[in-house]
Amino acid sequence: MTKIERYSFLDEKKKVKVYVEIEGIGALEEKISCDFGTDSFELVIADTESTKRCLSVDDLSRPIDPDRSKMTVKPNKIVLSLHKDTETTWYNLRKSS
């Protein structure tokens, strides 16, 4: 599994958005999944049966609501909307940042 290292995030009032820009990723929409936890998420792109890319964050800065968080796949990027458990400003995506 190849680790995805290029991403960005944007803090909004009620959620944090994570952007993963990959040219032509929309064509693989059905091979992309994301699991959300209260302090983590794991994005997996299954390019082929044996080739996968992953962005795994297990130390989010603050808790999120996994049931309200979602993934949107666009033609050239993936957007993860992480719904905050409480409205606070996130200066970092990870606790370890």
XYZ file of all heavy atoms in Angstrom:
781
model
N 0.852 -1.185 0.000
C 0.000 0.000 0.000
C 0.892 1.241 0.000
O 1.817 1.345 0.793
C -0.915 -0.030 1.225
C -1.970 1.031 1.140
S -3.287 0.967 2.382
C -3.927 -0.661 2.251
N 0.581 2.177 -0.871
C 1.334 3.420 -0.964
C 0.678 4.485 -0.098
O -0.542 4.669 -0.137
C 1.361 3.916 -2.434
O 1.869 2.879 -3.255
C 2.208 5.156 -2.574
N 1.482 5.178 0.673
C 0.980 6.217 1.575
C 0.767 7.522 0.800
O 1.642 7.967 0.069
C 2.003 6.424 2.684
C 1.548 7.303 3.793
C 2.609 7.336 4.885
C 2.240 8.286 5.976
N 3.266 8.371 7.001
N -0.414 8.137 0.968
C -0.701 9.449 0.372
C -0.145 10.495 1.331
O -0.532 10.530 2.502
C -2.214 9.660 0.168
C -2.752 8.640 -0.831
C -2.495 11.087 -0.298
C -4.270 8.634 -0.941
N 0.771 11.311 0.847
C 1.395 12.306 1.721
C 1.024 13.741 1.372
O 1.234 14.636 2.174
C 2.909 12.124 1.696
C 3.306 10.781 2.284
C 4.794 10.611 2.466
O 5.510 11.628 2.457
O 5.219 9.468 2.616
N 0.466 13.951 0.186
C 0.100 15.313 -0.221
C -1.391 15.536 -0.029
O -2.214 14.913 -0.686
C 0.478 15.540 -1.685
C 1.965 15.657 -1.899
C 2.298 15.932 -3.331
N 1.267 16.774 -3.942
C 1.479 17.671 -4.857
N 2.678 17.857 -5.309
N 0.499 18.391 -5.350
N -1.711 16.442 0.891
C -3.098 16.822 1.140
C -3.092 18.183 1.820
O -2.056 18.663 2.281
C -3.828 15.776 1.999
C -3.239 15.581 3.370
C -3.658 16.349 4.454
C -2.236 14.645 3.585
C -3.105 16.183 5.706
C -1.678 14.462 4.848
C -2.117 15.234 5.893
O -1.560 15.069 7.141
N -4.249 18.805 1.859
C -4.369 20.083 2.565
C -5.675 20.047 3.362
O -6.517 19.188 3.132
C -4.370 21.253 1.570
O -5.433 21.125 0.645
N -5.815 20.980 4.310
C -7.064 21.039 5.061
C -7.466 22.488 5.275
O -6.648 23.400 5.249
C -6.965 20.261 6.379
C -6.377 21.033 7.528
C -7.193 21.626 8.470
C -5.006 21.154 7.679
C -6.655 22.328 9.533
C -4.464 21.842 8.738
C -5.289 22.438 9.673
N -8.765 22.671 5.463
C -9.345 23.993 5.666
C -10.313 23.918 6.840
O -11.210 23.071 6.856
C -10.090 24.447 4.404
C -10.852 25.765 4.499
C -9.888 26.931 4.667
C -11.714 25.964 3.274
N -10.111 24.766 7.826
C -10.983 24.809 8.994
C -12.179 25.698 8.700
O -12.032 26.846 8.290
C -10.198 25.352 10.197
C -11.060 25.441 11.436
O -11.506 24.378 11.905
O -11.291 26.556 11.923
N -13.373 25.143 8.866
C -14.609 25.919 8.765
C -15.275 25.876 10.131
O -14.822 25.171 11.028
C -15.519 25.319 7.686
C -14.915 25.415 6.290
C -15.827 24.840 5.213
O -16.889 24.279 5.536
O -15.456 24.954 4.044
N -16.336 26.615 10.303
C -16.979 26.707 11.614
C -17.394 25.355 12.190
O -17.012 24.990 13.286
C -18.214 27.599 11.493
C -18.184 28.788 12.405
C -19.437 29.589 12.169
C -19.823 30.487 13.268
N -19.012 31.450 13.820
N -18.168 24.596 11.423
C -18.718 23.342 11.933
C -17.998 22.103 11.410
O -18.303 20.991 11.836
C -20.198 23.242 11.573
C -21.013 24.332 12.233
C -22.479 24.170 11.957
C -23.219 25.314 12.627
N -24.621 25.094 12.795
N -17.087 22.287 10.479
C -16.375 21.137 9.937
C -14.973 21.513 9.476
O -14.637 22.687 9.356
C -17.161 20.481 8.809
C -17.503 21.394 7.669
C -18.476 20.716 6.725
C -19.152 21.744 5.850
N -20.220 21.198 5.052
N -14.195 20.487 9.219
C -12.861 20.636 8.662
C -12.878 19.871 7.345
O -13.369 18.738 7.295
C -11.778 20.044 9.596
C -10.432 20.012 8.909
C -11.699 20.834 10.881
N -12.374 20.481 6.286
C -12.326 19.799 4.997
C -10.886 19.414 4.679
O -9.977 20.217 4.851
C -12.900 20.682 3.897
C -14.397 20.841 4.030
C -14.994 21.458 2.795
C -16.510 21.499 2.927
N -17.135 22.126 1.763
N -10.724 18.187 4.239
C -9.422 17.671 3.818
C -9.490 17.475 2.310
O -10.426 16.846 1.803
C -9.101 16.327 4.521
C -7.761 15.793 4.042
C -9.107 16.497 6.037
N -8.500 18.026 1.598
C -8.452 17.949 0.141
C -7.274 17.090 -0.293
O -6.143 17.325 0.128
C -8.297 19.347 -0.468
C -9.437 20.273 -0.139
C -9.360 21.144 0.947
C -10.595 20.276 -0.903
C -10.409 21.996 1.260
C -11.650 21.131 -0.597
C -11.547 21.989 0.483
O -12.586 22.821 0.790
N -7.561 16.109 -1.155
C -6.524 15.270 -1.743
C -6.664 15.445 -3.250
O -7.639 14.976 -3.845
C -6.695 13.785 -1.349
C -5.594 12.949 -1.974
C -6.710 13.624 0.163
N -5.715 16.161 -3.857
C -5.789 16.430 -5.288
C -4.998 15.398 -6.067
O -3.802 15.235 -5.853
C -5.291 17.844 -5.577
C -6.200 18.885 -4.940
C -5.913 20.307 -5.404
O -5.563 20.493 -6.572
O -6.049 21.203 -4.567
N -5.707 14.672 -6.955
C -5.101 13.654 -7.803
C -5.741 13.773 -9.182
O -6.964 13.626 -9.317
C -5.323 12.227 -7.240
C -4.738 12.113 -5.826
C -4.716 11.188 -8.180
C -5.083 10.829 -5.110
N -4.954 14.024 -10.179
C -5.440 14.183 -11.554
C -6.228 12.946 -11.991
O -5.761 11.823 -11.873
C -4.249 14.415 -12.489
C -4.640 14.807 -13.901
C -5.243 16.193 -14.009
O -4.864 17.082 -13.211
O -6.104 16.398 -14.884
N -7.468 13.156 -12.460
C -8.297 12.082 -13.004
C -8.877 11.112 -11.980
O -9.398 10.059 -12.354
N -8.842 11.437 -10.690
C -9.304 10.514 -9.652
C -10.798 10.192 -9.760
O -11.242 9.128 -9.339
C -8.956 11.037 -8.232
C -9.092 9.915 -7.180
C -9.810 12.238 -7.861
C -8.148 8.774 -7.353
N -11.572 11.072 -10.350
C -13.012 10.846 -10.493
C -13.352 9.551 -11.212
O -14.381 8.936 -10.955
N -12.470 9.101 -12.106
C -12.697 7.864 -12.849
C -12.648 6.632 -11.949
O -13.159 5.572 -12.310
C -11.661 7.737 -13.966
N -12.049 6.765 -10.770
C -11.932 5.646 -9.837
C -12.922 5.732 -8.679
O -12.767 5.046 -7.676
C -10.507 5.589 -9.262
C -9.374 5.324 -10.232
C -8.032 5.457 -9.529
C -9.512 3.947 -10.855
N -13.951 6.555 -8.818
C -14.866 6.841 -7.701
C -15.369 5.591 -6.977
O -15.444 5.551 -5.758
C -16.059 7.666 -8.190
C -16.993 8.068 -7.081
C -18.050 9.071 -7.515
O -18.113 9.430 -8.699
O -18.806 9.501 -6.636
N -15.700 4.540 -7.720
C -16.246 3.343 -7.093
C -15.194 2.503 -6.381
O -15.521 1.551 -5.682
C -17.013 2.532 -8.125
C -18.290 3.268 -8.470
C -18.971 2.767 -9.720
O -18.687 1.647 -10.154
O -19.783 3.532 -10.243
N -13.922 2.872 -6.542
C -12.831 2.138 -5.891
C -12.239 2.918 -4.726
O -11.169 2.607 -4.239
C -11.743 1.817 -6.916
C -12.227 0.901 -8.021
C -11.124 0.588 -8.983
C -11.621 -0.382 -10.046
N -10.536 -0.836 -10.888
N -12.971 3.951 -4.281
C -12.490 4.815 -3.203
C -13.425 4.665 -2.001
O -14.646 4.705 -2.153
C -12.456 6.293 -3.655
C -11.581 6.448 -4.891
C -11.955 7.192 -2.528
C -11.695 7.803 -5.556
N -12.834 4.495 -0.828
C -13.639 4.392 0.391
C -12.972 5.180 1.511
O -11.775 5.445 1.469
C -13.799 2.931 0.807
O -12.544 2.374 1.127
N -13.773 5.550 2.498
C -13.231 6.253 3.658
C -14.005 5.820 4.900
O -15.230 5.825 4.899
C -13.334 7.768 3.475
S -12.388 8.674 4.719
N -13.250 5.418 5.904
C -13.833 5.064 7.199
C -13.504 6.166 8.196
O -12.348 6.561 8.308
C -13.264 3.731 7.702
C -13.710 2.556 6.860
O -14.891 2.535 6.454
O -12.886 1.661 6.595
N -14.524 6.631 8.906
C -14.357 7.704 9.875
C -14.517 7.160 11.298
O -15.418 6.366 11.546
C -15.401 8.803 9.658
C -15.337 9.445 8.300
C -16.189 9.046 7.285
C -14.419 10.460 8.037
C -16.137 9.636 6.034
C -14.361 11.051 6.788
C -15.218 10.637 5.785
N -13.653 7.600 12.208
C -13.775 7.304 13.633
C -13.891 8.622 14.377
O -13.847 9.686 13.761
N -14.016 8.595 15.696
C -14.167 9.844 16.447
C -12.888 10.685 16.435
O -12.957 11.903 16.553
C -14.582 9.586 17.908
O -13.639 8.712 18.501
C -15.978 9.009 17.985
N -11.731 10.051 16.283
C -10.474 10.811 16.239
C -9.575 10.349 15.098
O -8.360 10.508 15.152
C -9.738 10.715 17.577
C -9.357 9.288 17.937
O -9.756 8.353 17.201
O -8.671 9.096 18.953
N -10.195 9.785 14.037
C -9.398 9.247 12.939
C -10.211 9.136 11.653
O -11.437 9.239 11.669
C -8.892 7.845 13.307
O -9.997 6.963 13.457
N -9.494 8.925 10.558
C -10.115 8.528 9.297
C -9.079 7.782 8.474
O -7.878 7.943 8.661
C -10.700 9.719 8.519
C -9.682 10.663 7.941
C -9.075 10.412 6.710
C -9.336 11.816 8.619
C -8.143 11.292 6.191
C -8.397 12.703 8.103
C -7.809 12.444 6.872
N -9.587 6.934 7.574
C -8.710 6.212 6.664
C -9.335 6.231 5.279
O -10.413 5.678 5.069
C -8.474 4.775 7.116
C -7.502 4.047 6.191
C -7.164 2.669 6.679
O -8.094 1.843 6.832
O -5.971 2.421 6.910
N -8.646 6.891 4.363
C -9.057 6.980 2.967
C -8.258 5.940 2.187
O -7.031 5.906 2.283
C -8.762 8.384 2.431
C -8.918 8.595 0.931
C -10.386 8.525 0.523
C -8.325 9.939 0.531
N -8.953 5.085 1.427
C -8.284 4.051 0.636
C -8.738 4.150 -0.812
O -9.936 4.191 -1.098
C -8.579 2.635 1.185
C -7.931 1.572 0.301
C -8.089 2.501 2.618
N -7.761 4.179 -1.719
C -8.021 4.164 -3.156
C -7.474 2.837 -3.677
O -6.272 2.590 -3.607
C -7.319 5.329 -3.866
C -7.751 6.670 -3.261
C -7.607 5.293 -5.375
C -6.871 7.842 -3.656
N -8.360 1.978 -4.194
C -7.949 0.684 -4.732
C -7.750 0.833 -6.243
O -8.685 0.655 -7.015
C -8.991 -0.375 -4.414
N -6.528 1.175 -6.639
C -6.241 1.362 -8.066
C -6.459 0.066 -8.847
O -7.070 0.057 -9.900
C -4.796 1.845 -8.252
C -4.590 3.232 -7.677
O -5.293 4.159 -8.103
O -3.732 3.389 -6.790
N -5.929 -1.027 -8.315
C -6.112 -2.370 -8.891
C -6.293 -3.339 -7.734
O -6.266 -2.939 -6.571
C -4.882 -2.802 -9.727
O -3.763 -2.936 -8.852
C -4.565 -1.799 -10.834
N -6.431 -4.627 -8.047
C -6.575 -5.637 -6.990
C -5.395 -5.608 -6.017
O -5.537 -5.818 -4.833
C -6.692 -7.028 -7.613
C -8.010 -7.280 -8.298
C -9.146 -7.486 -7.314
O -8.935 -8.089 -6.258
O -10.250 -7.020 -7.616
N -4.191 -5.341 -6.562
C -2.988 -5.420 -5.725
C -2.353 -4.061 -5.412
O -1.411 -3.989 -4.636
C -1.954 -6.319 -6.403
O -1.615 -5.785 -7.667
N -2.855 -2.987 -5.989
C -2.273 -1.664 -5.780
C -3.284 -0.751 -5.089
O -4.366 -0.523 -5.614
C -1.854 -1.024 -7.124
O -1.039 -1.935 -7.837
C -1.104 0.258 -6.904
N -2.884 -0.250 -3.929
C -3.760 0.651 -3.170
C -2.965 1.847 -2.676
O -1.773 1.747 -2.416
C -4.366 -0.073 -1.968
C -5.333 -1.157 -2.342
C -5.933 -1.788 -1.128
C -6.903 -2.877 -1.549
N -7.483 -3.578 -0.418
N -3.676 2.980 -2.547
C -3.110 4.184 -1.931
C -3.945 4.493 -0.703
O -5.154 4.276 -0.704
C -3.159 5.364 -2.906
C -2.217 5.203 -4.085
C -2.318 6.374 -5.018
N -3.357 6.108 -6.018
C -3.702 6.966 -6.957
N -3.124 8.152 -7.024
N -4.627 6.659 -7.826
N -3.292 5.040 0.333
C -3.992 5.245 1.595
C -3.554 6.542 2.274
O -2.376 6.882 2.276
C -3.701 4.057 2.507
S -4.406 4.198 4.135
N -4.527 7.242 2.844
C -4.254 8.369 3.736
C -4.908 7.998 5.057
O -6.138 7.940 5.162
C -4.838 9.677 3.193
C -4.779 10.880 4.138
C -3.349 11.182 4.578
C -5.404 12.103 3.483
N -4.084 7.680 6.032
C -4.578 7.253 7.332
C -4.158 8.272 8.391
O -2.974 8.534 8.570
C -4.008 5.869 7.668
O -4.525 5.424 8.889
N -5.131 8.843 9.083
C -4.872 9.803 10.157
C -5.540 9.251 11.407
O -6.764 9.120 11.454
C -5.422 11.205 9.808
C -5.265 12.149 10.979
C -4.727 11.765 8.577
N -4.731 8.889 12.403
C -5.289 8.293 13.622
C -5.093 9.175 14.849
O -5.262 8.722 15.977
C -4.692 6.908 13.865
C -3.185 6.945 14.032
O -2.589 8.038 14.007
O -2.594 5.862 14.184
N -4.744 10.438 14.601
C -4.535 11.370 15.716
C -5.087 12.760 15.375
O -4.388 13.749 15.453
C -3.051 11.450 16.072
C -2.188 11.962 14.924
O -2.652 11.970 13.754
O -1.046 12.361 15.183
N -6.376 12.800 14.994
C -6.991 14.091 14.663
C -6.862 15.055 15.835
O -6.924 14.653 17.001
C -8.467 13.913 14.303
C -8.751 13.310 12.925
C -10.241 12.998 12.792
C -8.298 14.235 11.818
N -6.713 16.314 15.506
C -6.520 17.365 16.499
C -7.617 17.381 17.559
O -7.362 17.587 18.742
C -6.444 18.709 15.786
O -6.144 19.734 16.664
N -8.850 17.148 17.133
C -10.004 17.146 18.034
C -11.000 16.088 17.551
O -10.936 15.648 16.419
C -10.679 18.514 18.048
C -9.734 19.652 18.406
C -10.477 20.758 19.114
N -9.650 21.934 19.319
C -8.748 22.067 20.263
N -8.486 21.084 21.072
N -8.067 23.190 20.405
N -11.976 15.713 18.384
C -12.957 14.698 17.979
C -13.886 15.181 16.858
O -14.191 16.376 16.757
C -13.769 14.440 19.251
C -12.983 15.010 20.371
C -12.130 16.098 19.785
N -14.321 14.214 16.036
C -15.302 14.490 14.983
C -16.512 13.576 15.185
O -16.466 12.631 15.959
C -14.710 14.272 13.568
C -14.278 12.817 13.366
C -13.567 15.239 13.300
C -13.943 12.455 11.923
N -17.581 13.880 14.456
C -18.781 13.043 14.454
C -18.702 12.154 13.215
O -18.954 12.625 12.104
C -20.026 13.929 14.421
C -21.320 13.138 14.432
O -21.281 11.907 14.195
O -22.376 13.745 14.664
N -18.332 10.886 13.367
C -18.144 10.026 12.194
C -19.416 9.820 11.377
O -19.345 9.656 10.155
C -17.659 8.695 12.775
C -17.667 8.806 14.233
C -18.043 10.199 14.611
N -20.582 9.840 12.018
C -21.836 9.618 11.302
C -22.199 10.774 10.375
O -22.897 10.577 9.381
C -22.980 9.374 12.293
C -22.772 8.107 13.098
O -22.151 7.157 12.567
O -23.204 8.069 14.261
N -21.740 11.968 10.685
C -22.051 13.140 9.858
C -20.917 13.495 8.897
O -21.090 14.362 8.037
C -22.383 14.328 10.764
C -23.665 14.061 11.564
C -24.025 15.186 12.502
N -24.194 16.438 11.805
C -23.900 17.627 12.323
N -23.436 17.711 13.542
N -24.074 18.715 11.633
N -19.776 12.860 9.049
C -18.640 13.123 8.167
C -18.857 12.388 6.852
O -19.514 11.347 6.812
C -17.343 12.665 8.834
O -17.126 13.389 10.021
N -18.310 12.932 5.767
C -18.547 12.301 4.465
C -17.399 12.544 3.505
O -16.545 13.414 3.724
C -19.850 12.788 3.858
C -19.841 14.256 3.454
C -21.130 14.651 2.778
C -21.000 16.058 2.219
N -22.073 16.407 1.326
N -17.414 11.783 2.423
C -16.424 11.888 1.361
C -17.137 12.267 0.064
O -18.215 11.745 -0.234
C -15.732 10.529 1.179
C -14.804 10.472 -0.014
S -14.119 8.814 -0.286
C -15.549 7.946 -0.935
N -16.523 13.186 -0.691
C -17.032 13.570 -1.998
C -15.888 13.405 -3.002
O -14.785 13.900 -2.765
C -17.509 15.038 -2.002
O -18.471 15.218 -0.953
C -18.124 15.417 -3.334
N -16.172 12.709 -4.103
C -15.161 12.520 -5.146
C -15.505 13.426 -6.312
O -16.605 13.368 -6.851
C -15.089 11.042 -5.605
C -14.047 10.876 -6.697
C -14.775 10.135 -4.419
N -14.565 14.275 -6.697
C -14.719 15.184 -7.824
C -13.772 14.721 -8.932
O -12.953 13.837 -8.700
C -14.426 16.607 -7.379
C -15.387 17.052 -6.285
C -15.356 18.519 -6.053
C -16.457 18.852 -5.046
N -16.879 20.212 -5.129
N -13.847 15.298 -10.124
C -12.994 14.817 -11.224
C -11.495 14.768 -10.908
O -10.814 13.822 -11.306
C -13.284 15.798 -12.361
C -14.681 16.265 -12.083
C -14.788 16.320 -10.578
N -10.967 15.765 -10.179
C -9.535 15.813 -9.908
C -9.166 15.934 -8.434
O -8.042 16.280 -8.106
C -8.887 16.958 -10.697
C -8.955 16.704 -12.181
O -8.550 15.657 -12.667
N -9.520 17.655 -12.917
N -10.132 15.653 -7.544
C -9.812 15.689 -6.113
C -10.852 14.952 -5.296
O -11.983 14.735 -5.726
C -9.640 17.110 -5.618
C -10.894 17.941 -5.546
C -10.566 19.333 -5.023
C -11.616 20.322 -5.459
N -11.229 21.682 -5.156
N -10.419 14.591 -4.088
C -11.301 13.980 -3.094
C -11.430 14.985 -1.956
O -10.422 15.553 -1.520
C -10.708 12.666 -2.558
C -10.500 11.664 -3.694
C -11.600 12.077 -1.467
C -9.630 10.479 -3.320
N -12.659 15.213 -1.505
C -12.907 16.138 -0.397
C -13.525 15.347 0.746
O -14.559 14.707 0.583
C -13.862 17.284 -0.809
C -14.076 18.235 0.360
C -13.346 18.022 -2.031
N -12.858 15.375 1.890
C -13.394 14.754 3.096
C -13.934 15.861 3.987
O -13.210 16.799 4.318
C -12.300 13.983 3.838
C -11.556 12.923 3.044
C -10.467 12.296 3.903
C -12.508 11.860 2.519
N -15.190 15.776 4.353
C -15.805 16.757 5.252
C -15.916 16.113 6.626
O -16.715 15.195 6.826
C -17.188 17.157 4.757
O -17.096 17.802 3.508
N -15.083 16.579 7.539
C -15.064 16.049 8.900
C -15.907 16.964 9.786
O -15.530 18.112 10.019
C -13.625 15.994 9.431
C -12.574 15.345 8.527
C -11.199 15.440 9.176
C -12.936 13.913 8.211
N -17.049 16.481 10.231
C -17.924 17.305 11.074
C -17.410 17.312 12.500
O -17.251 16.270 13.121
C -19.368 16.809 11.010
C -20.067 17.271 9.776
N -20.874 18.374 9.764
C -20.029 16.807 8.515
C -21.326 18.565 8.530
N -20.821 17.619 7.763
N -17.153 18.506 13.010
C -16.593 18.662 14.356
C -17.591 18.238 15.424
O -18.791 18.485 15.287
C -16.215 20.124 14.595
C -15.131 20.642 13.687
C -14.900 22.121 13.959
C -13.875 22.721 13.042
N -13.690 24.154 13.302
N -17.070 17.624 16.472
C -17.887 17.277 17.623
C -18.312 18.548 18.356
O -19.449 18.670 18.802
C -17.090 16.348 18.536
C -17.951 15.619 19.537
O -19.066 15.221 19.162
O -17.512 15.455 20.685
N -17.385 19.514 18.475
C -17.686 20.830 19.041
C -17.039 21.886 18.155
O -15.989 21.648 17.556
C -17.129 20.980 20.473
O -15.732 20.715 20.462
C -17.807 20.030 21.430
N -17.674 23.030 18.078
C -17.137 24.117 17.248
C -15.938 24.765 17.924
O -16.086 25.525 18.867
C -18.216 25.179 17.004
C -19.190 24.818 15.921
C -20.121 25.972 15.591
O -19.675 27.138 15.567
O -21.310 25.690 15.376
N -14.757 24.435 17.435
C -13.522 25.056 17.891
C -12.630 25.234 16.675
O -12.816 24.568 15.658
C -12.778 24.186 18.925
O -12.519 22.910 18.349
C -13.566 24.017 20.203
N -11.677 26.111 16.773
C -10.750 26.336 15.667
C -9.672 25.262 15.671
O -9.087 24.974 16.707
C -10.096 27.719 15.788
O -11.140 28.703 15.792
C -9.165 27.993 14.620
N -9.439 24.675 14.512
C -8.372 23.692 14.349
C -7.192 24.384 13.676
O -7.303 24.854 12.552
C -8.817 22.539 13.471
C -9.807 21.581 14.084
C -10.751 21.862 15.026
C -9.952 20.199 13.763
N -11.474 20.730 15.309
C -11.007 19.695 14.536
C -9.311 19.352 12.881
C -11.421 18.380 14.467
C -9.732 18.034 12.811
C -10.771 17.551 13.610
N -6.075 24.450 14.361
C -4.876 25.030 13.764
C -4.040 23.965 13.075
O -3.224 24.283 12.207
C -4.053 25.749 14.849
C -4.801 26.916 15.445
C -5.407 26.811 16.686
C -4.941 28.111 14.741
C -6.120 27.874 17.224
C -5.658 29.175 15.269
C -6.249 29.052 16.502
O -6.958 30.100 17.028
N -4.246 22.702 13.476
C -3.565 21.575 12.864
C -4.572 20.469 12.647
O -5.549 20.348 13.409
C -2.465 21.025 13.790
C -1.371 22.046 14.029
O -0.754 22.532 13.094
N -1.153 22.385 15.292
N -4.354 19.649 11.642
C -5.237 18.505 11.417
C -4.921 17.405 12.423
O -5.824 16.762 12.938
C -5.040 17.977 9.996
C -5.969 16.818 9.594
C -7.416 17.258 9.598
C -5.568 16.274 8.223
N -3.637 17.218 12.713
C -3.201 16.147 13.614
C -2.719 16.709 14.947
O -2.196 17.806 14.994
C -2.026 15.396 12.997
C -2.335 14.680 11.718
C -1.034 14.106 11.146
N -1.221 13.340 9.955
C -1.239 12.017 9.919
N -1.054 11.335 11.014
N -1.425 11.386 8.784
N -2.855 15.926 15.997
C -2.313 16.313 17.296
C -0.800 16.419 17.233
O -0.198 17.260 17.882
C -2.687 15.273 18.361
C -4.113 15.320 18.784
C -4.394 14.267 19.848
C -5.859 14.244 20.187
N -6.209 13.123 21.054
N -0.187 15.552 16.431
C 1.284 15.495 16.362
C 1.905 16.552 15.460
O 3.110 16.618 15.327
C 1.715 14.112 15.881
O 1.193 13.853 14.588
N 1.090 17.390 14.833
C 1.629 18.419 13.918
C 2.295 19.538 14.667
O 1.907 19.944 15.705
C 0.515 18.997 13.055
O 0.042 18.022 12.176
